[in-house]
CSV table of all heavy atoms in Angstrom, one decimal:
chain,number,residue,atom,x,y,z
A,160,TYR,N,25.9,-75.2,64.7
A,160,TYR,CA,25.9,-76.5,65.4
A,160,TYR,C,26.3,-77.7,64.6
A,160,TYR,O,26.2,-78.8,65.1
A,160,TYR,CB,24.6,-76.6,66.1
A,160,TYR,CG,24.4,-75.6,67.2
A,160,TYR,CD1,23.8,-74.5,67.1
A,160,TYR,CD2,25.1,-75.9,68.4
A,160,TYR,CE1,23.7,-73.5,68.1
A,160,TYR,CE2,25.1,-74.9,69.4
A,160,TYR,CZ,24.4,-73.8,69.3
A,160,TYR,OH,24.4,-72.8,70.3
A,161,THR,N,26.6,-77.6,63.3
A,161,THR,CA,26.9,-78.7,62.5
A,161,THR,C,28.4,-78.9,62.3
A,161,THR,O,29.0,-77.8,62.1
A,161,THR,CB,26.2,-78.7,61.1
A,161,THR,OG1,24.8,-78.3,61.4
A,161,THR,CG2,26.2,-80.0,60.4
A,162,ARG,N,28.9,-80.1,62.4
A,162,ARG,CA,30.3,-80.3,62.0
A,162,ARG,C,30.3,-81.2,60.8
A,162,ARG,O,29.4,-82.0,60.5
A,162,ARG,CB,31.0,-81.0,63.2
A,162,ARG,CG,31.1,-80.0,64.4
A,162,ARG,CD,31.8,-80.6,65.6
A,162,ARG,NE,31.2,-81.9,65.8
A,162,ARG,CZ,31.5,-82.7,66.8
A,162,ARG,NH1,32.4,-82.3,67.7
A,162,ARG,NH2,31.0,-83.9,67.0
A,163,ARG,N,31.4,-81.0,60.1
A,163,ARG,CA,31.7,-81.8,58.9
A,163,ARG,C,31.4,-83.3,59.2
A,163,ARG,O,31.9,-83.8,60.2
A,163,ARG,CB,33.1,-81.6,58.4
A,163,ARG,CG,33.5,-82.3,57.2
A,163,ARG,CD,35.0,-82.1,57.0
A,163,ARG,NE,35.3,-80.8,56.4
A,163,ARG,CZ,35.5,-80.6,55.1
A,163,ARG,NH1,35.5,-81.6,54.3
A,163,ARG,NH2,35.7,-79.4,54.6
A,164,GLY,N,30.7,-84.0,58.3
A,164,GLY,CA,30.5,-85.4,58.5
A,164,GLY,C,29.3,-85.8,59.4
A,164,GLY,O,29.0,-87.0,59.5
A,165,ASP,N,28.6,-84.8,59.9
A,165,ASP,CA,27.5,-85.2,60.9
A,165,ASP,C,26.4,-85.9,60.2
A,165,ASP,O,26.1,-85.7,59.0
A,165,ASP,CB,26.9,-83.9,61.4
A,165,ASP,CG,27.6,-83.4,62.7
A,165,ASP,OD1,28.6,-84.1,63.2
A,165,ASP,OD2,27.3,-82.3,63.2
A,166,ALA,N,25.8,-86.8,61.0
A,166,ALA,CA,24.5,-87.5,60.5
A,166,ALA,C,23.4,-86.6,61.0
A,166,ALA,O,23.3,-86.3,62.2
A,166,ALA,CB,24.5,-88.9,61.1
A,167,VAL,N,22.5,-86.3,60.1
A,167,VAL,CA,21.4,-85.3,60.4
A,167,VAL,C,20.0,-85.9,60.3
A,167,VAL,O,19.8,-86.6,59.3
A,167,VAL,CB,21.5,-84.1,59.4
A,167,VAL,CG1,20.3,-83.2,59.5
A,167,VAL,CG2,22.8,-83.4,59.5
A,168,LEU,N,19.2,-85.7,61.2
A,168,LEU,CA,17.8,-86.1,61.2
A,168,LEU,C,17.0,-84.8,61.0
A,168,LEU,O,17.0,-83.9,61.9
A,168,LEU,CB,17.4,-86.8,62.4
A,168,LEU,CG,15.9,-87.2,62.6
A,168,LEU,CD1,15.5,-88.1,61.5
A,168,LEU,CD2,15.6,-87.8,63.9
A,169,ASP,N,16.2,-84.7,59.9
A,169,ASP,CA,15.4,-83.5,59.7
A,169,ASP,C,14.0,-83.8,59.8
A,169,ASP,O,13.3,-84.4,58.9
A,169,ASP,CB,15.7,-83.0,58.2
A,169,ASP,CG,15.2,-81.5,58.0
A,169,ASP,OD1,14.5,-81.0,58.9
A,169,ASP,OD2,15.5,-81.0,56.9
A,170,LEU,N,13.4,-83.6,61.0
A,170,LEU,CA,12.0,-83.9,61.3
A,170,LEU,C,11.1,-82.9,60.6
A,170,LEU,O,11.3,-81.7,60.8
A,170,LEU,CB,11.7,-83.8,62.8
A,170,LEU,CG,12.2,-84.9,63.7
A,170,LEU,CD1,11.5,-84.8,65.1
A,170,LEU,CD2,11.8,-86.3,63.1
A,171,ALA,N,10.1,-83.4,59.9
A,171,ALA,CA,9.2,-82.5,59.2
A,171,ALA,C,10.0,-81.6,58.2
A,171,ALA,O,9.9,-80.4,58.2
A,171,ALA,CB,8.4,-81.6,60.2
A,172,CYS,N,10.7,-82.3,57.4
A,172,CYS,CA,11.7,-81.7,56.4
A,172,CYS,C,11.0,-80.9,55.3
A,172,CYS,O,11.6,-80.2,54.6
A,172,CYS,CB,12.6,-82.7,55.8
A,172,CYS,SG,11.7,-84.0,54.9
A,173,GLY,N,9.7,-81.2,55.1
A,173,GLY,CA,9.0,-80.5,54.0
A,173,GLY,C,9.5,-80.9,52.7
A,173,GLY,O,9.9,-82.0,52.4
A,174,LYS,N,9.6,-79.8,51.8
A,174,LYS,CA,10.1,-80.1,50.4
A,174,LYS,C,11.6,-80.1,50.3
A,174,LYS,O,12.1,-80.1,49.2
A,174,LYS,CB,9.6,-78.9,49.5
A,174,LYS,CG,8.0,-78.8,49.5
A,174,LYS,CD,7.7,-77.5,48.8
A,174,LYS,CE,6.2,-77.2,48.9
A,174,LYS,NZ,5.4,-78.2,48.3
A,175,GLY,N,12.3,-80.1,51.5
A,175,GLY,CA,13.7,-80.2,51.4
A,175,GLY,C,14.4,-78.8,51.2
A,175,GLY,O,15.5,-78.7,50.7
A,176,GLY,N,13.7,-77.8,51.7
A,176,GLY,CA,14.2,-76.4,51.5
A,176,GLY,C,15.6,-76.2,52.2
A,176,GLY,O,16.3,-75.3,51.9
A,177,ASP,N,15.9,-77.1,53.1
A,177,ASP,CA,17.2,-76.9,53.9
A,177,ASP,C,18.3,-77.8,53.3
A,177,ASP,O,19.4,-77.8,53.9
A,177,ASP,CB,17.0,-77.2,55.4
A,177,ASP,CG,16.1,-76.2,56.0
A,177,ASP,OD1,15.9,-75.1,55.4
A,177,ASP,OD2,15.5,-76.5,57.1
A,178,LEU,N,18.0,-78.6,52.3
A,178,LEU,CA,19.1,-79.5,51.8
A,178,LEU,C,20.4,-78.8,51.4
A,178,LEU,O,21.5,-79.3,51.8
A,178,LEU,CB,18.5,-80.3,50.5
A,178,LEU,CG,17.6,-81.4,50.8
A,178,LEU,CD1,16.9,-81.9,49.5
A,178,LEU,CD2,18.2,-82.6,51.4
A,179,ILE,N,20.2,-77.7,50.8
A,179,ILE,CA,21.4,-76.9,50.3
A,179,ILE,C,22.2,-76.4,51.6
A,179,ILE,O,23.4,-76.4,51.6
A,179,ILE,CB,21.0,-75.8,49.4
A,179,ILE,CG1,20.5,-76.3,48.1
A,179,ILE,CG2,22.2,-74.8,49.1
A,179,ILE,CD1,20.0,-75.3,47.1
A,180,LYS,N,21.4,-76.0,52.6
A,180,LYS,CA,22.1,-75.5,53.8
A,180,LYS,C,22.9,-76.6,54.5
A,180,LYS,O,24.0,-76.4,54.9
A,180,LYS,CB,21.1,-75.0,54.8
A,180,LYS,CG,20.2,-73.9,54.3
A,180,LYS,CD,19.1,-73.5,55.4
A,180,LYS,CE,18.1,-72.5,54.8
A,180,LYS,NZ,17.1,-73.1,53.9
A,181,TRP,N,22.4,-77.8,54.5
A,181,TRP,CA,23.1,-79.0,55.0
A,181,TRP,C,24.3,-79.3,54.2
A,181,TRP,O,25.3,-79.7,54.7
A,181,TRP,CB,22.2,-80.2,55.2
A,181,TRP,CG,21.1,-80.0,56.2
A,181,TRP,CD1,19.7,-80.0,55.9
A,181,TRP,CD2,21.2,-79.9,57.6
A,181,TRP,NE1,19.1,-79.8,57.1
A,181,TRP,CE2,19.9,-79.7,58.2
A,181,TRP,CE3,22.3,-79.8,58.5
A,181,TRP,CZ2,19.7,-79.6,59.5
A,181,TRP,CZ3,22.1,-79.7,59.8
A,181,TRP,CH2,20.8,-79.5,60.3
A,182,ASP,N,24.1,-79.2,52.9
A,182,ASP,CA,25.2,-79.5,51.9
A,182,ASP,C,26.4,-78.5,52.2
A,182,ASP,O,27.6,-79.0,52.2
A,182,ASP,CB,24.7,-79.3,50.5
A,182,ASP,CG,25.6,-80.2,49.5
A,182,ASP,OD1,26.0,-81.2,49.9
A,182,ASP,OD2,25.7,-79.8,48.4
A,183,LYS,N,26.0,-77.3,52.4
A,183,LYS,CA,27.1,-76.3,52.7
A,183,LYS,C,27.8,-76.6,54.0
A,183,LYS,O,29.0,-76.3,54.1
A,183,LYS,CB,26.5,-74.9,52.8
A,183,LYS,CG,26.0,-74.4,51.4
A,183,LYS,CD,26.0,-72.9,51.3
A,183,LYS,CE,25.8,-72.5,49.9
A,183,LYS,NZ,24.5,-71.8,49.7
A,184,ALA,N,27.1,-77.2,54.9
A,184,ALA,CA,27.7,-77.6,56.2
A,184,ALA,C,28.5,-78.9,56.1
A,184,ALA,O,29.1,-79.4,57.1
A,184,ALA,CB,26.7,-77.7,57.3
A,185,LYS,N,28.5,-79.5,54.9
A,185,LYS,CA,29.3,-80.7,54.6
A,185,LYS,C,29.0,-81.9,55.5
A,185,LYS,O,29.9,-82.6,56.0
A,185,LYS,CB,30.8,-80.4,54.7
A,185,LYS,CG,31.3,-79.3,53.7
A,185,LYS,CD,32.8,-79.3,53.6
A,185,LYS,CE,33.2,-78.4,52.4
A,185,LYS,NZ,32.7,-77.1,52.4
A,186,ILE,N,27.7,-82.1,55.6
A,186,ILE,CA,27.2,-83.2,56.5
A,186,ILE,C,27.6,-84.6,55.8
A,186,ILE,O,27.8,-84.6,54.6
A,186,ILE,CB,25.7,-83.2,56.8
A,186,ILE,CG1,24.9,-83.2,55.5
A,186,ILE,CG2,25.4,-81.9,57.6
A,186,ILE,CD1,23.4,-83.5,55.8
A,187,GLY,N,27.5,-85.6,56.6
A,187,GLY,CA,27.9,-87.0,56.0
A,187,GLY,C,26.7,-87.8,55.7
A,187,GLY,O,26.8,-88.7,54.8
A,188,TYR,N,25.5,-87.5,56.3
A,188,TYR,CA,24.3,-88.4,56.1
A,188,TYR,C,23.1,-87.6,56.4
A,188,TYR,O,23.1,-86.8,57.4
A,188,TYR,CB,24.4,-89.7,56.9
A,188,TYR,CG,23.3,-90.6,56.7
A,188,TYR,CD1,22.9,-91.0,55.4
A,188,TYR,CD2,22.6,-91.2,57.7
A,188,TYR,CE1,21.9,-91.9,55.2
A,188,TYR,CE2,21.5,-92.1,57.5
A,188,TYR,CZ,21.2,-92.4,56.2
A,188,TYR,OH,20.2,-93.3,56.1
A,189,TYR,N,22.0,-87.8,55.7
A,189,TYR,CA,20.8,-87.0,56.0
A,189,TYR,C,19.5,-88.0,55.9
A,189,TYR,O,19.4,-88.8,55.0
A,189,TYR,CB,20.6,-86.0,54.9
A,189,TYR,CG,19.4,-85.1,54.9
A,189,TYR,CD1,19.3,-83.9,55.6
A,189,TYR,CD2,18.2,-85.6,54.3
A,189,TYR,CE1,18.1,-83.2,55.6
A,189,TYR,CE2,17.0,-84.8,54.3
A,189,TYR,CZ,17.0,-83.6,54.9
A,189,TYR,OH,15.9,-82.8,54.9
A,190,VAL,N,18.7,-87.9,57.0
A,190,VAL,CA,17.4,-88.5,56.9
A,190,VAL,C,16.3,-87.4,57.1
A,190,VAL,O,16.4,-86.7,58.0
A,190,VAL,CB,17.2,-89.6,58.0
A,190,VAL,CG1,15.8,-90.1,58.1
A,190,VAL,CG2,18.2,-90.7,57.8
A,191,GLY,N,15.4,-87.4,56.1
A,191,GLY,CA,14.3,-86.4,56.2
A,191,GLY,C,13.0,-87.2,56.3
A,191,GLY,O,12.8,-88.2,55.6
A,192,ILE,N,12.1,-86.7,57.2
A,192,ILE,CA,10.8,-87.3,57.3
A,192,ILE,C,9.8,-86.3,57.4
A,192,ILE,O,10.0,-85.3,58.1
A,192,ILE,CB,10.8,-88.4,58.5
A,192,ILE,CG1,9.4,-88.9,58.8
A,192,ILE,CG2,11.4,-87.8,59.7
A,192,ILE,CD1,9.4,-90.2,59.5
A,193,ASP,N,8.7,-86.5,56.7
A,193,ASP,CA,7.5,-85.5,56.7
A,193,ASP,C,6.2,-86.3,56.5
A,193,ASP,O,6.2,-87.3,55.9
A,193,ASP,CB,7.7,-84.5,55.6
A,193,ASP,CG,6.9,-83.2,55.9
A,193,ASP,OD1,5.6,-83.3,55.7
A,193,ASP,OD2,7.4,-82.2,56.3
A,194,ILE,N,5.2,-85.7,57.1
A,194,ILE,CA,3.9,-86.4,57.1
A,194,ILE,C,3.2,-86.2,55.7
A,194,ILE,O,2.3,-87.0,55.3
A,194,ILE,CB,3.0,-85.9,58.2
A,194,ILE,CG1,1.7,-86.8,58.4
A,194,ILE,CG2,2.5,-84.4,58.0
A,194,ILE,CD1,0.9,-86.4,59.7
A,195,ALA,N,3.6,-85.1,55.0
A,195,ALA,CA,2.9,-84.8,53.7
A,195,ALA,C,3.6,-85.5,52.5
A,195,ALA,O,4.7,-85.2,52.2
A,195,ALA,CB,3.0,-83.3,53.5
A,196,GLU,N,2.8,-86.4,51.9
A,196,GLU,CA,3.3,-87.2,50.8
A,196,GLU,C,3.8,-86.3,49.7
A,196,GLU,O,4.9,-86.5,49.1
A,196,GLU,CB,2.2,-88.1,50.2
A,196,GLU,CG,1.6,-89.1,51.1
A,196,GLU,CD,0.4,-88.5,52.0
A,196,GLU,OE1,0.2,-87.3,51.9
A,196,GLU,OE2,-0.2,-89.3,52.7
A,197,GLY,N,3.0,-85.2,49.4
A,197,GLY,CA,3.4,-84.3,48.3
A,197,GLY,C,4.7,-83.6,48.6
A,197,GLY,O,5.6,-83.4,47.7
A,198,SER,N,5.0,-83.2,49.8
A,198,SER,CA,6.2,-82.6,50.2
A,198,SER,C,7.4,-83.5,50.1
A,198,SER,O,8.5,-83.1,49.6
A,198,SER,CB,6.1,-82.0,51.6
A,198,SER,OG,5.1,-81.1,51.7
A,199,ILE,N,7.3,-84.7,50.5
A,199,ILE,CA,8.4,-85.7,50.4
A,199,ILE,C,8.7,-86.0,49.0
A,199,ILE,O,9.8,-86.1,48.6
A,199,ILE,CB,8.0,-87.0,51.2
A,199,ILE,CG1,8.3,-86.8,52.7
A,199,ILE,CG2,8.8,-88.2,50.7
A,199,ILE,CD1,9.7,-86.6,53.1
A,200,LYS,N,7.6,-86.0,48.1
A,200,LYS,CA,7.9,-86.2,46.7
A,200,LYS,C,8.7,-85.1,46.1
A,200,LYS,O,9.7,-85.3,45.4
A,200,LYS,CB,6.5,-86.3,46.0
A,200,LYS,CG,6.5,-87.1,44.8
A,200,LYS,CD,5.0,-87.4,44.3
A,200,LYS,CE,5.0,-87.3,42.8
A,200,LYS,NZ,4.5,-86.1,42.2
A,201,ASP,N,8.3,-83.8,46.5
A,201,ASP,CA,9.1,-82.7,46.0
A,201,ASP,C,10.5,-82.7,46.6
A,201,ASP,O,11.5,-82.3,45.9
A,201,ASP,CB,8.5,-81.4,46.5
A,201,ASP,CG,7.2,-81.1,45.7
A,201,ASP,OD1,6.9,-81.7,44.7
A,201,ASP,OD2,6.4,-80.2,46.2
A,202,CYS,N,10.7,-83.2,47.8
A,202,CYS,CA,12.0,-83.3,48.5
A,202,CYS,C,12.9,-84.3,47.7
A,202,CYS,O,14.0,-84.0,47.4
A,202,CYS,CB,11.8,-83.7,49.9
A,202,CYS,SG,13.3,-83.6,50.9
A,203,ARG,N,12.2,-85.4,47.3
A,203,ARG,CA,13.0,-86.4,46.6
A,203,ARG,C,13.4,-85.8,45.2
A,203,ARG,O,14.6,-86.0,44.8
A,203,ARG,CB,12.0,-87.6,46.3
A,203,ARG,CG,12.6,-88.9,46.7
A,203,ARG,CD,11.7,-90.0,46.7
A,203,ARG,NE,11.6,-90.5,48.1
A,203,ARG,CZ,10.5,-90.9,48.7
A,203,ARG,NH1,9.4,-90.8,48.0
A,203,ARG,NH2,10.5,-91.3,49.9
A,204,THR,N,12.5,-85.1,44.6
A,204,THR,CA,12.9,-84.5,43.3
A,204,THR,C,14.1,-83.5,43.4
A,204,THR,O,15.0,-83.5,42.7
A,204,THR,CB,11.7,-83.7,42.7
A,204,THR,OG1,10.5,-84.6,42.8
A,204,THR,CG2,11.9,-83.2,41.3
A,205,ARG,N,14.0,-82.7,44.5
A,205,ARG,CA,15.0,-81.7,44.7
A,205,ARG,C,16.4,-82.5,45.0
A,205,ARG,O,17.4,-82.1,44.5
A,205,ARG,CB,14.7,-80.9,45.9
A,205,ARG,CG,15.6,-79.7,46.1
A,205,ARG,CD,15.1,-78.7,47.1
A,205,ARG,NE,14.0,-77.9,46.6
A,205,ARG,CZ,13.3,-77.0,47.3
A,205,ARG,NH1,13.6,-76.8,48.5
A,205,ARG,NH2,12.3,-76.3,46.7
A,206,TYR,N,16.3,-83.5,45.8
A,206,TYR,CA,17.5,-84.2,46.1
A,206,TYR,C,18.2,-84.9,44.9
A,206,TYR,O,19.4,-84.9,44.7
A,206,TYR,CB,17.3,-85.3,47.2
A,206,TYR,CG,18.5,-86.1,47.6
A,206,TYR,CD1,19.5,-85.6,48.3
A,206,TYR,CD2,18.7,-87.4,47.1
A,206,TYR,CE1,20.7,-86.3,48.6
A,206,TYR,CE2,19.8,-88.1,47.3
A,206,TYR,CZ,20.8,-87.6,48.1
A,206,TYR,OH,21.9,-88.3,48.4
A,207,ASN,N,17.3,-85.4,44.1
A,207,ASN,CA,17.8,-86.1,42.9
A,207,ASN,C,18.2,-85.2,41.7
A,207,ASN,O,18.5,-85.7,40.6
A,207,ASN,CB,16.7,-87.1,42.4
A,207,ASN,CG,16.6,-88.3,43.4
A,207,ASN,OD1,17.6,-88.7,44.0
A,207,ASN,ND2,15.4,-88.8,43.5
A,208,GLY,N,18.1,-83.9,41.9
A,208,GLY,CA,18.4,-83.0,40.8
A,208,GLY,C,17.1,-82.5,40.2
A,208,GLY,O,16.5,-83.2,39.5
Side-chain angles (χ1 to χ4, degrees):
Y160 289 99
T161 313
R162 290 178 316 185
R163 180 187 281 262
D165 272 357
V167 174
L168 173 63
D169 194 353
L170 281 194
C172 61
K174 299 169 190 298
D177 294 342
L178 283 169
I179 293 177
K180 302 178 187 70
W181 293 114
D182 205 32
K183 291 207 169 110
K185 302 195 166 53
I186 62 167
Y188 183 49
Y189 175 94
V190 173
I192 171 160
D193 198 284
I194 196 173
E196 300 84 353
S198 301
I199 279 294
K200 209 168 142 257
D201 287 348
C202 188
R203 232 171 242 136
T204 309
R205 188 168 286 178
Y206 177 76
N207 290 325

